[in-house]
Each structure stands twice: as C-alpha cells, then as structure tokens.
Amino acid sequence: MLTPPDPHVVVLFGASGDLSKRKLLPGLFHLNRAGHLSDCRIVGTSLEPMTNAEFRTLAREACEQFGRGAVDEGDWARFERKLSWVDGSTGSVGLADAVAEAEADIGEECRRLHYLSVPPAAAPAVIKTLSEAGLVERSRVIMEKPFGTDLATAQRLNAMVHEVFTEEQVFRIDHFLGKEAALNILALRFANGLFEPIWSRNFIDHIQIDVPETLTVEGRGSFYDATGAFRDMVVTHLFQVLAFVAMEPPVELAPAAITVEKNKVFRSMKGIRPEDVVRGRYEGYRSEPGVAEGSGTETFIALKCRIDNWRWSGVPFYLRTGKAMAEGARIISIAFREPPKSMFPEGSGVGTKGPDHLTFDLDESSRVSLSYYGKRPGPGMLVDKLSMQFSLNEVETQGDTLEAYERLIRDAMGGDHTLFTTAEGIEELWNTAAPMLEDPPDSLIYERGSWGPKEVHNLIAPNRWRLPFQRRWRD
Ligand code: BG6
C-alpha cells in the first residue's frame, strides 16, 4: 500500500450539505477504515447550528445510506472521535479555535485540508474567513466547480483565490478524473505499445464522449438553472476527459508534466462555434422548483469540437450530455477508420454495423471493449460484429477501488495535482467556449426519456451517435 499522507486536520465547509453526505463523509470514513489516512481530525462547519453529537449522527447516517454497506461498530468508533463541529456563525475566531483544538490532538505540525463544498457565491467569504483565521499556512484547499461562468468571472475568481493561496495550494476538483476508468485511459495509452501508433488522425475517424443521465435536476433547480449542462458537465468533466484522450505522452507521469500536456490540448482546441452546438431542455424543466420562469438554461448539450494540432487535425470530437434522457451512461467511443476497400462478397455484412470501436465505460466497472468484424462460423464468408471485453469486476483487486472523491481527497492530502485542474487550464477552456457563450443557439425542447432534440443527429451526420451499449457485455 502507498504510504498514507501526513496527519491532517480536514475542515469541511458545507459539511451538512448534499455532497458532504453523499460522498465526502462516507469517503473519509472509508479512507480511514482502509488505512489510507494517517491520524486526522475532521472539523465540520456550515451555517446550520449543530452540536458535535448531532454532526456525528448526521455523518453516521450518511455513511450508512451512501457508503459501502453496513457500518462496522469498531470502525465507526475509531472514526467518530475524529469528528467535531463548529457553527459558521462563530466566524473566523470560532473556526481558528476549533482547528487549534483538533491540532492539539494530533500534533501542531500537521497539515490542513480545507474542502470548500459550498456554492460558488459563498467561496470568496470562506476564503476570507480562512485568511482571517490564520489557517492558510500548512494548508491546501479543495474547490468545487463551477470555476467561474465565463473567462472574466474565472479570472476574477482565480485572482481572488490567489490573493490568499498560492496556485500550489489550490486543488480544483473534477470527480470524473478520479474515476478508475479515467485513469485507465492513461494506463492503456501509455503503458502499452499497442495503441499509441494508431492514436491519431491516420487511424481514428472520430471520437464520442457521451454522458447521458436519466436524472432530472432533482431538487437542485436553483443551482442548475444558474449553471446549465455546459458549465455543469462539459467545461469540467467532459473537456477534462477529452484532454486525457487527446494529450501527447507526458515526459513523466507527474503532475506538472501531465498538466502541461492537458493545457496544450486546451490551447489547441478551436473556439466552439454556435453552429456546432445543439442545446435543449427537457419538457417541464421550467416548472421545476427553483427554475426561473422563461429560463433559457439548457439541460442538454451536444457539440462538435476540433483540436487543431498534428495528431487530431480533421478528427471531430462529439460531446453529449443531458438530464432526463433515455439511459444513463458515461461512454468514450473511439471510432477507427474503415478499410479503404472491401474484397468481401456482397451481403457478407462487412461495414454494416459501423466502424471498429474502442470503448471506455467510465462506470465503476471500468469496462473497456474493442469491437471488430469477425467470421461467423459455418460455410461461406459472413461476418458479425464481435468484441473483446474487459471489466474491473473480473479482477481480484477490484475491492481496492477507491471512489473518485476518496482518490482525489487522498491525492490532495499528498499534494499531488495530477488529477486537478489549474487556473490556466480553466481560463483556456472558457476562452475556447467564448464564441458559443456569446451567441448560444436556442435551447430546444426534448421529451423526457429521449436522446435529446432531434437536431442532435444532424450535428454528427454522416456518423451516428453510438447509443450505450449497442454491443452486449458478457455477463
Ligand atoms: C456532477 C454534476 O458534477 O456530476 C451533476 O453536477 C451530475 O449534475 C454528476 O449528475 C454526474 O456524476 P457521476 O459521477 O454520477 O456520473
């Protein structure tokens, strides 16, 4: 096992909120139970008044409901005593006292990790409180998206953060990059000699990154209405995954080298043209609680991106994501060029089921498949579309998988920026998005449970969206 990071006091802002209950508290509980943390204390805070005992009860319920099954009493007892609460209303003085008390327990030279699980508008106040409380030294700060809403707001936010923290201390989290499957893209590309030679415009026809969701905005109406699918999913998750797929081999598997290559991809992306975008909103979205009357926010977006460099020139990247869609999936499909000429007899089936694909499923099972045409047994020469498949569920070490937030919290504690976004990378992406944001196409209504507005098919023609899982997976 990797050496656990230094002892830490984790300050969880927004500790009674949804993300904290679903991911952060169960994640910290698991990291502690599995021996991935050295000594730590967790100070929860939010504007909600609470006692230590109430916070512990909230955390226990969260671990039971959203963690990995039943909570062992021994594990819980070891975790529970690490938790304490401080009311946000006590300001910087109350916070400084609570952290000092936690530090006295584990040694005053410990590190501090501030997790800002708060709405974007609240982030500046939290940063100011941390500065006033004298909690900047020995600390790192994890920030949640959205990192601004356009270039100007992102620059302002970065400047404000940099008044207090150095870039080295800032960890902008994108949970998609913490998924095992996303990391497997790097392993597959760079740990093997097989794929790199064919990873370019010479062999790849187009790439799809498709993240349809069946969920609606589910009670997040006011957050979502101010954000929309592009800012909620594309600027963060989909573009970040795209960078892993498209980047050049880094000079080493280290944060700075990977960041350089990712940022080069962002710089090579051409501005997103409004005519390459389809925006939509599901029927009834405007009546969701928290959504403004007459809202123009999109709950669906599909776009064509182009990366203007030697490797990818002429290869379209199609991105799609939306709420209330027919199925949920997180698929990357790499479509290879078809053979230049077929010598197979007519009716043999060659080419009838689309091109060969390498597919990554970003689901926990981290499935990867390679589809190809192979001979159907029997007389003559008929072909079927076959596939070679791998799933993490089949390996003995599957139980060692860390949930994305677990992985990323642990990385941030160790000061490892590999899977986090930089100020420069984010600003570059807003720059790329500017032409579309300045003149967004109308958002078209689509039926709930569909694949989005029908215009999405024209965007990708003559290719087709590859619906999740057209190819059956082995049981
Ligand atoms: C979040 C978005 O970042 O990612 C949500 O805010 C979205 O709208 C979620 O549903 C999807 O993440 P995952 O890991 O469940 O696919």
Side-chain angles (χ1 to χ4, degrees):
M1 191 189 282
L2 294 174
T3 328
D6 295 336
H8 265 82
V9 170
V10 179
V11 185
L12 209 52
F13 292 88
S16 51
D18 197 53
L19 180 68
S20 169
K21 289 192 219 161
R22 283 176 186 276
K23 301 288 182 188
L24 309 180
L25 290 165
L28 286 162
F29 174 61
H30 176 72
L31 286 172
N32 190 57
R33 170 176 60 184
H36 290 300
L37 302 181
S38 36
D39 212 359
C40 83
R41 291 292 175 275
I42 298 159
V43 179
T45 181
S46 79
L47 290 179
E48 223 170 290
M50 225 184 274
T51 61
N52 286 347
E54 283 166 341
F55 179 45
R56 289 175 182 157
T57 306
L58 174 148
R60 167 119 197 192
E61 284 168 6
C63 293
E64 276 166 359
Q65 193 181 350
F66 301 113
R68 310 173 182 217
V71 169
D72 175 89
E73 291 306 329
D75 290 339
W76 181 253
R78 278 186 290 280
F79 184 65
E80 165 181 73
R81 55 190 160 79
K82 298 178 185 297
L83 301 178
S84 60
W85 183 262
V86 56
D87 287 346
S89 60
T90 60
S92 55
V93 176
L95 185 66
D97 288 349
V99 172
E101 203 176 304
E103 289 186 347
D105 259 4
I106 56 172
E108 280 164 10
E109 279 317 295
C110 65
R111 289 202 150 270
R112 298 157 176 165
L113 181 70
H114 307 304
Y115 198 123
L116 271 57
S117 174
V118 297
V126 174
I127 297 215
K128 190 162 166 266
T129 306
L130 285 169
S131 164
E132 287 167 2
L135 295 175
V136 175
E137 241 180 59
R138 291 183 277 121
S139 80
R140 300 190 176 103
V141 53
I142 300 188
M143 297 190 63
E144 279 286 339
K145 52 130 206 235
F147 310 116
T149 49
D150 57 16
L151 180 58
T153 51
Q155 283 170 332
R156 273 205 297 280
L157 178 67
N158 287 332
M160 185 275 296
V161 173
H162 289 156
E163 277 173 24
V164 177
F165 293 98
T166 62
E167 179 66 14
E168 222 11 53
Q169 290 175 288
V170 183
F171 291 74
R172 295 175 192 78
I173 201 163
D174 185 320
H175 78 278
F176 265 51
L177 295 190
K179 292 177 188 277
E180 284 288 348
L183 296 167
N184 210 19
I185 298 173
L186 297 186
L188 198 110
R189 284 194 60 195
F190 303 131
N192 301 289
L194 175 62
F195 298 105
E196 199 46 32
I198 56 169
W199 210 260
S200 75
R201 58 194 291 274
N202 297 324
F203 297 92
I204 292 177
D205 185 75
H206 66 276
I207 293 180
Q208 294 182 22
I209 302 179
D210 199 9
V211 187
E213 296 185 285
T214 52
L215 294 175
T216 60
V217 295
E218 319 266 331
R220 299 160 80 215
S222 68
F223 160 80
Y224 197 87
D225 203 39
T227 311
F230 183 73
R231 295 178 171 95
D232 185 38
M233 294 293 286
V234 179
V235 180
T236 44
H237 310 322
L238 273 61
F239 279 163
Q240 298 299 326
V241 168
L242 177 149
F244 271 12
V245 173
M247 71 194 226
E248 295 300 313
V251 292
E252 55 178 337
L253 203 66
I258 292 186
T259 299
V260 165
E261 297 308 335
K262 277 176 62 191
N263 287 353
K264 268 162 54 183
V265 172
F266 298 149
R267 276 174 51 202
S268 313
M269 280 170 77
K270 289 191 169 176
I272 296 167
R273 304 182 305 190
E275 61 268 36
D276 288 339
V277 177
V278 175
R279 290 169 76 238
R281 63 171 191 276
Y282 61 79
E283 257 174 348
Y285 168 70
R286 286 180 172 169
S287 326
E288 295 275 14
V291 170
E293 225 183 296
S295 159
T297 300
E298 78 285 348
T299 62
F300 171 97
I301 188 154
L303 54 147
K304 177 157 82 175
C305 308
R306 287 151 308 145
I307 301 178
D308 203 16
N309 64 15
W310 275 45
R311 188 184 285 267
W312 296 116
S313 177
V315 178
F317 284 69
Y318 298 105
L319 275 44
R320 173 172 73 167
T321 184
K323 301 281 185 200
M325 294 183 65
E327 280 180 49
R330 310 172 189 102
I331 306 293
I332 305 170
S333 303
I334 319 270
F336 292 98
R337 289 190 187 283
E338 298 193 41
K341 178 171 166 46
S342 174
M343 71 290 281
F344 285 79
E346 199 156 325
S348 63
V350 170
T352 52
K353 299 268 172 64
D356 302 342
H357 278 101
L358 181 64
T359 309
F360 294 89
D361 182 352
L362 296 184
D363 186 61
E364 280 71 43
S365 56
S366 190
R367 297 180 293 187
V368 183
S369 83
L370 182 64
S371 71
Y372 60 96
Y373 289 91
K375 186 180 171 308
R376 184 186 298 174
M381 184 48 106
L382 297 178
V383 298
D384 284 323
K385 199 78 183 286
L386 308 176
S387 71
M388 293 189 256
Q389 302 175 352
F390 164 80
S391 157
L392 256 195
N393 293 343
E394 295 162 18
V395 303
E396 278 175 12
T397 44
Q398 196 235 0
D400 296 344
T401 302
L402 292 182
E403 197 278 331
Y405 282 94
E406 295 167 359
R407 156 96 204 196
L408 295 169
I409 290 173
R410 197 191 169 291
D411 282 1
M413 283 180 165
D416 184 342
H417 272 97
T418 310
L419 303 175
F420 295 85
T421 320
T422 57
E424 186 195 337
I426 286 291
E427 289 176 16
E428 203 64 68
L429 284 177
W430 286 122
N431 206 15
T432 305
M436 191 273 284
L437 293 177
E438 278 157 22
D439 183 19
D442 289 345
S443 97
L444 310 165
I445 295 186
Y446 60 95
E447 261 177 56
R448 288 172 186 239
S450 72
W451 289 103
K454 58 182 183 339
E455 286 71 4
V456 71
H457 300 295
N458 298 340
L459 181 75
I460 199 170
N463 301 307
R464 290 167 50 182
W465 291 101
R466 199 160 167 253
L467 301 180
F469 272 100
Q470 285 177 329
R471 197 128 318 289
R472 276 170 59 89
W473 284 80
R474 273 197 317 261
D475 290 330

